[in-house]
């Protein structure tokens, strides 16, 4: 059953300083279903005055509640309670995300519902095992140095619409584990599910102001990024927006973590088991209709097997079930917005006009009179200079590119302004690892790809700055202080 057309989710107030406060803006944000094209909920918009109040509350929580100076075990126990409260909401959260952005329910139930609790517990444990300070013998041989990890302070977390729960918690969890406080601003397209964090924070008894939820579009996001009370910015989104945020933070000498776009390559080696490869590419290339930052939308195939790979990828794309995102059998739901579908269609038109061969897809499926759908699309007979092979489309559009030998495959993979992810498909794992080492990107998979909570995630080049997850993700929310001691 799809989400009924009438409004389902309402939020009338913002969550600031542990309280539900009316917005000082008279505007509201209405979220539209990508499937029914009808409203599914509304929330208040935010004014600059509301941002001021949220930042002030977060600043107050650092000192008045002593959150930043709580002992590690007490803070970790509070984070575990927060995880428990979110876990109890997981099913409702998954349905809410599907209603907002059209993610198939099997995906939101596997990721968006349970991930917040998993990530919080991971960082609670990291907080327990990471010493807040340590003594090191001075390199000069005289005396010791006390090295302290101290919370960076108030964090502005700006979250996109594609994986709103997961990408929010990638920022919230390490910030809280380090002793920071957060002001979270979700994307307008998925503003409703963010308030689940507020409900859970209240239930868990987090001190007032440790977690604050505000709303708004780009102007409010820019105001938050440059706010004098913010100590660090964590952002996931487009490279264009990331450049603007990075520029603002650079001018302010403010730490920033940027997880941005990608145009990752799946390198199919000549010894790959094609059946196993295609099965793996389903998730790696077309998860959530390609609206995934790590999507491997360039598939590099050896010339000796090019036709075979093109046909197999096209068969895969054509076989995926398109439909109602609330139907558990649906594999491809609608794109998140009409604007996003327009963008994807413009690239499909560019692919055709530029001489690439459209193998399958490229249309709005005829079975649906509503919803922002586009068929999974495969282009062949193109090189890496083509727009559909170079630019991030953020939709279900794949380019299958031939290569002559392994060196050319690595060259093509590296010939990109982005560097977020990638995969290698081969029957020889050690050979795959060697190829992975040569590709300039933040993450790679060999015959597999999944984000590991215990390992750093992030990109190089135009794919961003810094890392999330793992000990490196926690380190991004601390400042180091050296206290020099005598003998």
């Amino acid at each position: 059953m799809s989400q009924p057309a009438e409004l389902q989710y309402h939020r009338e107030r913002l969550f600031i300083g542990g309280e539900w406060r009316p917005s000082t803006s008279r505007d509201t944000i209405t979220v539209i279903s990508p499937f029914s094209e009808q409203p599914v909920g509304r929330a208040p918009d935010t004014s600059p005055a509301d941002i001021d109040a949220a930042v002030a509350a977060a600043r107050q929580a650092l000192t008045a509640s002593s959150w930043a100076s709580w002992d590690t075990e007490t803070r970790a126990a509070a984070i575990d309670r927060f995880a428990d409260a979110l876990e109890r909401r997981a099913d409702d959260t998954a349905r809410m995300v599907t209603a907002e952005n059209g993610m198939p329910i099997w995906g939101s139930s596997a990721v968006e519902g349970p991930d917040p609790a998993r990530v919080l517990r991971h960082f609670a444990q990291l907080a327990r095992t990471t010493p807040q300070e340590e003594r090191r013998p001075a390199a000069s041989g005289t005396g010791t140095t006390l090295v302290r990890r101290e919370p960076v302070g108030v964090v502005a977390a700006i979250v996109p619409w594609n994986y709103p729960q997961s990408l929010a918690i990638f920022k919230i969890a390490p910030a809280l584990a380090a002793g920071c406080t957060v002001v979270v601003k979700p994307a307008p397209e998925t503003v409703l599910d963010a308030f689940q964090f507020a409900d859970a924070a209240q239930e868990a008894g987090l001190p007032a102001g440790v977690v604050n939820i505000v709303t708004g579009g780009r102007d409010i996001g820019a105001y938050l990024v440059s706010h004098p009370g913010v100590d660090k910015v964590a952002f996931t989104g487009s490279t264009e927006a990331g450049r603007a945020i990075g520029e603002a933070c650079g001018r302010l000498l403010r730490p920033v973590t940027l997880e941005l776009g990608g145009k990752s390559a799946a390198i199919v080696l000549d010894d790959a088991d094609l059946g196993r490869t295609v099965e793996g590419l389903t998730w790696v290339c077309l998860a959530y209709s390609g609206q995934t930052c790590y999507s491997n939308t360039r598939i590099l195939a050896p010339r000796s097997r090019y036709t075979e790979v093109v046909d197999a990828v096209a068969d895969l794309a054509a076989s995926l079930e398109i439909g109602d995102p609330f139907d558990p059998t649906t594999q491809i739901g609608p794109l998140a917005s009409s604007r996003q579908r327009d963008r994807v269609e413009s690239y499909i038109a560019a692919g055709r006009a530029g001489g690439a061969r459209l193998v399958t897809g490229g249309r709005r499926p005829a079975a649906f009179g509503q919803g922002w759908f586009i068929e999974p699309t495969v282009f062949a007979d193109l090189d890496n200079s083509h727009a559909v092979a170079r630019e991030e489309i953020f939709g279900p559009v794949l380019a299958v590119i031939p290569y002559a030998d392994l060196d050319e495959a690595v060259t093509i993979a590296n010939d990109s302004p982005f560097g977020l992810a990638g995969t290698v498909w081969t029957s020889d794992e050690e050979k795959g690892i060697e190829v992975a080492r040569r590709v300039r990107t933040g993450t790679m998979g060999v015959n597999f790809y999944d984000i590991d909570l215990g390992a750093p995630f992030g990109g190089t080049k135009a794919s961003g700055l810094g890392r999330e997850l793992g000990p490196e993700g926690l380190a991004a929310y601390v400042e180091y202080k050296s206290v020099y001691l005598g003998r």
Side-chain angles (χ1 to χ4, degrees):
M1 288 290 295
S2 64
Q3 191 75 11
E6 66 268 17
L7 292 173
Q8 292 293 302
Y9 304 104
H10 301 274
R11 293 289 184 167
E12 304 297 338
R13 295 170 181 256
L14 305 172
F15 187 68
I16 296 173
E19 299 176 346
W20 294 99
R21 301 188 188 182
S23 172
T24 59
S25 171
R26 295 182 178 180
D27 296 329
T28 59
I29 297 172
T30 300
V31 177
I32 304 298
S33 163
F35 177 65
S36 71
E37 301 185 36
Q38 297 299 312
V40 295
R42 63 171 179 259
D45 207 346
T46 297
S47 74
D50 298 322
I51 296 296
D52 293 342
V55 173
R59 175 68 55 196
Q60 181 76 359
L62 286 171
T63 54
S65 70
S66 303
W67 174 255
S69 59
W70 279 16
D71 69 86
T72 301
E73 181 53 44
T74 302
R75 191 160 62 236
I79 295 170
D80 281 335
R81 292 195 303 273
F82 189 23
D84 293 341
L86 284 168
E87 189 169 57
R88 285 189 282 272
R89 292 165 169 79
D91 289 344
D92 187 49
T93 299
R95 289 192 296 271
M96 195 179 300
V97 170
T98 293
E100 291 175 301
N101 70 9
M103 181 182 292
I105 191 65
W106 68 265
S108 60
S109 297
V111 178
E112 292 297 274
D115 262 11
R118 292 173 185 154
V119 177
L120 281 166
R121 291 184 182 122
H122 169 73
F123 277 101
Q125 187 58 27
L126 268 181
R128 290 182 175 102
T129 57
T130 303
Q132 289 185 292
E133 57 183 36
E134 59 185 279
R135 290 176 181 257
R136 301 179 187 175
S140 64
T142 302
T144 59
T145 299
L146 182 69
V147 179
R148 288 182 48 78
R149 295 176 177 86
E150 299 182 347
V152 70
V154 175
V155 175
I158 301 178
V159 185
W161 48 258
N162 59 332
Y163 290 82
Q165 286 281 306
S166 298
L167 295 174
I169 209 66
F170 282 9
K171 298 154 185 56
I172 296 168
L176 299 191
C180 301
T181 57
V182 293
V183 178
V184 181
K185 192 205 80 64
E189 294 87 346
T190 50
V191 69
L192 302 169
D193 68 271
F195 289 103
Q196 297 285 79
F197 293 117
D199 292 336
Q202 279 194 313
E203 181 183 323
L206 294 187
V210 169
V211 174
N212 305 271
I213 308 295
V214 297
T215 62
R218 288 192 175 187
D219 290 347
I220 284 295
Y223 184 80
L224 176 60
V225 163
S226 296
H227 197 285
V230 166
D231 299 301
K232 175 185 169 64
V233 175
F235 170 78
T236 299
S238 71
T239 296
E240 177 186 6
R243 290 187 195 279
I245 290 171
E247 181 179 355
C249 290
R251 185 175 63 253
L252 295 166
L253 299 179
R254 179 168 295 169
V256 62
T257 301
L258 301 172
E259 197 270 281
L260 308 177
K263 191 70 179 179
S264 302
I267 306 174
V268 181
L269 300 191
D270 57 9
D271 65 351
D273 178 327
L274 199 52
R276 180 184 177 189
T277 297
V278 169
E279 182 180 354
L281 291 179
T282 307
W283 175 256
V284 173
C285 298
L286 292 168
Y288 183 33
S289 300
Q291 297 172 120
T292 303
C293 58
Y294 62 71
S295 291
N296 288 199
T297 51
R298 293 183 296 155
I299 299 174
L300 312 188
R303 290 190 182 278
S304 61
R305 302 185 68 185
Y306 185 69
T307 299
E308 182 185 6
V309 172
V310 169
D311 290 346
V313 171
D315 288 345
L316 163 67
S319 73
L320 297 177
E321 187 71 26
I322 304 173
D324 180 345
F326 278 94
D327 184 334
T329 66
T330 291
Q331 295 168 289
I332 298 290
L335 297 180
S337 67
S338 60
R339 181 180 67 253
Q340 189 62 22
R341 184 175 63 177
D342 289 345
R343 173 183 171 85
V344 172
E345 288 182 324
S346 73
Y347 274 102
I348 292 171
R352 287 170 162 161
R357 175 166 61 97
L358 178 64
V359 184
T360 191
R363 299 169 298 183
R364 300 180 183 186
F368 301 96
Q370 63 185 30
W372 299 312
F373 289 96
I374 198 76
E375 293 174 338
T377 301
V378 177
F379 282 104
D381 300 342
L382 72 168
D383 63 28
N384 202 51
S385 66
H386 201 294
V388 297
R390 294 201 68 76
E391 299 178 22
E392 184 179 44
I393 300 173
F394 225 57
V397 180
L398 307 180
V400 187
I401 302 168
Y403 68 84
D405 56 29
L406 192 54
D407 287 342
E408 185 180 24
V410 171
T411 297
I412 293 171
N414 286 334
D415 179 21
S416 171
F418 300 102
L420 182 59
T423 52
V424 185
W425 303 88
T426 175
S427 60
D428 184 342
E429 184 177 88
E430 287 304 314
K431 184 177 181 181
I433 293 171
E434 285 303 311
V435 174
R437 288 177 176 138
R438 295 176 62 187
V439 179
R440 189 184 173 203
T441 186
T443 63
M444 284 288 288
V446 178
N447 297 324
F448 172 80
Y449 188 93
D450 197 11
I451 294 174
D452 175 12
L453 300 186
F457 176 76
T460 62
K461 300 183 282 186
S463 290
L465 299 170
R467 295 293 183 267
E468 296 184 311
L469 302 179
E472 295 81 3
L474 179 60
Y477 292 86
V478 302
E479 293 179 325
Y480 290 89
K481 177 188 289 181
S482 295
V483 181
Y484 307 118
L485 306 173
R487 296 183 181 181

